[in-house]
Amino acid sequence: MNGVSGKCFGLQRRGNGFDMKTYSKVGACLIVFSVVLIFIFQDTAFDSITRFGTTSFSDTGSEDSCLSRNQSVLYRKSSPHKPSSYLVSKLRSYEELHKRCGPHTDSYKRSIKQLKSGQIDHNSSDCRYVVWVGLAGLGNRMLSITSAFLYGLLTDRVLLTNQAYEMAGLFCEPFPNTSWILPDDFPFKSKLRRFKQNYDHSYGKMVQSSTFNYSTQLLPSYLYLFLSNDCSRQDQLFFCDQDQALLGKVPWLIMRSNVYFLPSMFLMSSFDQELNKLFPDKETVFHHLGRYLFHPSDRVWGLITKYYQDHLAKAEKRIGIQIRIFHPKTSPFEYVMDQILACIRKEKLLPEVGTEKYIASPSKNQTSKVVLVTSLFRGYFEKLNKMYGEHPTKTGEVVAVYQPSHAGRQRTWWNSHNVQAWAEIYLLSLSDELVTSAWSTFGYVAQGLRGIRPLILYNRTIPDPPCGRGVSMEPCYHAPPIFDCKAPTTTVDTGALVPHVRHCEDLSWGLKLFNSS
């Protein structure tokens, strides 16, 4: 991907970065355009998601460092999903908490002293923290960050993210006048990524070995929470109310995760009342929190806007097709391609093509549809592009097909790969219709940011039906607990405990949020 990513958005790569000159002009024009629109429409063009994600920045002037925060309204359609007033108020309160407790504040410095000493000052009213440590691909990371943030909202903890090199420069700071990035001088920061499941301060290990002392006088100053896809039952005791009562007394929680564990918090009675007030519409949790947290940095925004203007802006309808192949041997190209084409026909996403070659140039008055393909491989794009490039459609519509990149394989630890991935996720989220691959967190993030129930390409041997409409636009938690907190050795169906937490359409054992109706 390194050889492709510098050119796939129409920008030439120079040194270790992209040529800023190319898209700085685009950015400057967009600033002027956005100011004019804001003046004319007096904020009516802004949907409520954009408003509650930016209002607090308008008084500080810091919006200039994040062009996407205000310019996204020029590209996204207004969301029909409105946040509850309680959620907006809660986020405002959290911003004040983060400003008071964030990196390099007096409260933060006092908390660091406690962390280093290993002693908890129970008379102190200072801050508590959850430190996110990620792994796996960008989609997994964005979903687990969102889960950690909601946990922080529910427990009045400040979220700090351990953003290593591969994530540098992807996102704007989400909170005003402070940072969510874990400082470099954080104790044992260089060791965080080496923390394993059996780390001495791991909560699951301490519970399993019965070495954990429940006396509030002997609690450690920090605990390590291993909440990845391969965590144990002891690790998953984190999702039990009785364990949360204890964890709430520990100032620092270091959380390693690569999954969207958020649905399990909706099974906890201690959070139930608060979550109902925050999210009366259960299907919009990631939609609201994702739009609040994740704004492309100016570097990424330049790539997004340049590609959008060059290829997508003039289309009357944009269709995103996200293809993720987990096991190439069991998902041969011909099988997957046939499934995609069958889905397109079944759902009437694109017009059928004739057998004759093009003779005349299409009329300027004809309807235009654009297909954005995202995949690690180029073959799917080439097949669609050849189909609509060499043959006229039966309806006379013009269909153009584009693919920004084709890396061949995922390179999670490359910063340029993640820049590309984030740009493509965002471009997918601007689609009018979205087709995603089952189990793919890349697709989950795009559908959540867009606020749409996608068509899902099922991972089945016989693609009949080839795809189906999602019943919820929420992401799926791939590795949920399957035990009763009151009797951890007893297996239960956690997808049948409450009406709004059920099994996923694309993964029978996964959990996701649905509206009760």
Side-chain angles (χ1 to χ4, degrees):
M1 178 165 184
N2 204 23
V4 178
S5 61
K7 296 182 180 180
C8 64
F9 281 96
L11 302 179
Q12 295 296 320
R13 189 175 174 87
R14 295 183 179 179
N16 293 323
F18 292 93
D19 182 2
M20 296 294 292
K21 185 183 296 183
T22 304
Y23 55 80
S24 61
K25 294 180 180 179
V26 176
C29 293
L30 286 172
I31 292 174
V32 174
F33 184 43
S34 62
V35 169
V36 172
L37 275 183
I38 293 170
F39 177 78
I40 293 175
F41 294 107
Q42 297 181 348
D43 198 46
T44 58
F46 285 88
D47 61 43
S48 56
I49 306 300
T50 302
R51 270 202 303 276
F52 88 74
T54 62
T55 300
S56 62
F57 286 79
S58 61
D59 297 331
T60 66
S62 61
E63 70 272 16
D64 292 339
S65 64
C66 183
L67 297 174
S68 66
R69 196 182 304 279
N70 286 327
Q71 290 180 8
S72 61
V73 70
L74 303 177
Y75 298 87
R76 280 180 174 161
K77 292 184 177 179
S78 180
S79 173
H81 312 288
K82 306 306 177 186
S84 68
S85 59
Y86 189 77
L87 173 59
V88 176
S89 175
K90 188 76 172 182
L91 290 170
R92 290 291 163 260
S93 298
Y94 175 84
E95 289 169 0
E96 290 301 316
L97 175 68
H98 201 114
K99 183 178 178 181
R100 177 170 62 85
C101 300
H104 311 302
T105 60
D106 290 340
S107 296
Y108 175 82
K109 293 174 183 177
R110 286 193 294 269
S111 296
I112 288 293
K113 287 182 179 179
Q114 289 190 51
L115 176 62
K116 290 180 177 179
S117 69
Q119 302 296 319
I120 302 176
D121 183 0
H122 296 289
N123 297 318
S124 172
S125 60
D126 268 349
C127 313
R128 296 177 303 152
Y129 300 84
V130 54
V131 176
W132 172 86
V133 181
L135 67 161
L138 183 63
N140 296 71
R141 295 183 188 217
M142 294 175 73
L143 295 178
S144 61
I145 287 175
T146 306
S147 302
F149 177 64
L150 179 58
Y151 179 69
L153 279 184
L154 295 171
T155 58
D156 295 321
R157 287 183 181 272
V158 171
L159 171 66
L160 298 177
T161 58
N162 183 46
Q163 295 190 19
Y165 164 76
E166 67 271 11
M167 289 187 66
L170 296 185
F171 308 113
C172 299
E173 291 281 1
F175 315 123
N177 300 311
T178 185
S179 177
W180 70 336
I181 298 176
L182 189 70
D184 289 336
D185 59 358
F186 180 77
F188 48 80
K189 185 180 190 297
S190 61
K191 301 178 181 179
L192 288 178
R193 295 178 71 157
R194 297 198 296 271
F195 284 6
K196 303 299 181 184
Q197 189 171 14
N198 61 353
Y199 178 65
D200 287 342
H201 274 254
S202 167
Y203 184 62
K205 181 183 178 181
M206 295 174 76
V207 170
Q208 186 176 20
S209 61
S210 301
T211 59
F212 198 85
N213 194 309
Y214 286 76
S215 168
T216 57
Q217 300 302 318
L218 298 176
L219 286 174
S221 58
Y222 77 97
L223 282 171
Y224 174 61
L225 305 171
F226 186 79
L227 299 179
S228 297
N229 63 294
D230 54 346
C231 62
S232 67
R233 285 199 178 198
Q234 287 76 25
D235 296 314
Q236 291 179 332
L237 290 173
F238 168 83
F239 300 112
C240 295
D241 290 303
Q242 60 268 29
D243 290 70
Q244 277 299 319
L246 181 64
L247 290 168
K249 300 172 184 177
V250 180
W252 288 88
L253 297 178
I254 298 172
M255 178 185 293
R256 185 181 179 93
S257 178
N258 64 348
V259 291
Y260 188 66
F261 62 82
L262 184 152
S264 282
M265 287 187 274
F266 282 77
L267 298 176
M268 301 170 65
S269 60
S270 57
F271 295 151
D272 187 57
Q273 185 176 0
E274 185 75 355
L275 285 170
N276 283 334
K277 290 192 293 183
L278 288 170
F279 303 104
D281 185 350
K282 302 297 187 293
E283 193 179 331
T284 63
V285 178
F286 181 76
H287 178 66
H288 291 323
L289 296 184
R291 284 194 170 197
Y292 173 77
L293 289 173
F294 302 116
H295 299 276
S297 66
D298 289 356
R299 172 192 181 191
V300 180
W301 189 241
L303 301 178
I304 293 168
T305 55
K306 178 68 167 61
Y307 196 86
Y308 185 92
Q309 294 295 340
D310 286 350
H311 303 295
L312 309 178
K314 296 180 181 180
E316 293 186 18
K317 188 170 186 180
R318 285 166 284 274
I319 299 165
I321 302 180
Q322 180 260 333
I323 306 164
R324 180 70 163 98
I325 306 301
F326 293 96
H327 305 291
K329 290 184 179 180
T330 58
S331 301
F333 172 80
E334 294 79 10
Y335 158 74
V336 177
M337 193 71 238
D338 287 346
Q339 187 181 9
I340 294 169
L341 294 175
C343 180
I344 289 173
R345 286 193 297 269
K346 173 179 175 290
E347 300 295 333
K348 296 181 173 56
L349 295 180
L350 296 173
E352 295 185 24
V353 296
T355 56
E356 66 274 18
K357 294 281 186 178
Y358 266 120
I359 299 175
S361 299
S363 167
K364 292 183 180 180
N365 296 326
Q366 290 173 311
T367 302
S368 172
K369 290 183 178 179
V370 167
V371 179
L372 179 72
V373 177
T374 65
S375 173
L376 293 173
F377 309 103
R378 188 168 175 80
Y380 308 102
F381 156 75
E382 291 177 338
K383 182 80 172 182
L384 286 170
N385 189 48
K386 183 176 181 180
M387 179 187 304
Y388 286 100
E390 295 184 356
H391 304 281
T393 63
K394 293 181 178 180
T395 60
E397 295 174 279
V398 177
V399 177
V401 185
Y402 299 102
Q403 180 177 359
S405 73
H406 48 95
R409 63 186 178 89
Q410 187 170 326
R411 294 175 170 91
T412 299
W413 309 111
W414 288 21
N415 182 262
S416 60
H417 181 95
N418 290 319
V419 166
Q420 185 88 11
W422 178 211
E424 292 186 18
I425 287 173
Y426 199 96
L427 286 167
L428 280 175
S429 77
L430 302 178
S431 302
D432 299 300
E433 182 64 89
L434 193 57
V435 181
T436 63
S437 295
W439 313 348
S440 175
T441 57
F442 195 102
Y444 292 163
V445 175
Q447 75 193 38
L449 293 178
R450 172 61 175 86
I452 193 174
R453 297 174 181 176
L455 289 164
I456 304 170
L457 295 168
Y458 296 121
N459 289 317
R460 294 174 179 167
T461 305
I462 302 175
D464 186 20
C467 59
R469 179 69 63 182
V471 185
S472 167
M473 63 188 185
E474 271 288 296
C476 179
Y477 178 13
H478 287 171
I482 55 172
F483 59 84
D484 184 349
C485 280
K486 296 178 180 178
T489 59
T490 304
T491 299
V492 297
D493 182 1
T494 49
L497 298 179
V498 296
H500 51 275
V501 179
R502 306 201 299 273
H503 292 298
C504 310
E505 306 99 322
D506 58 336
L507 196 66
S508 59
W509 62 83
L511 292 183
K512 70 186 300 185
L513 295 170
F514 293 81
N515 284 324
S516 300
S517 58

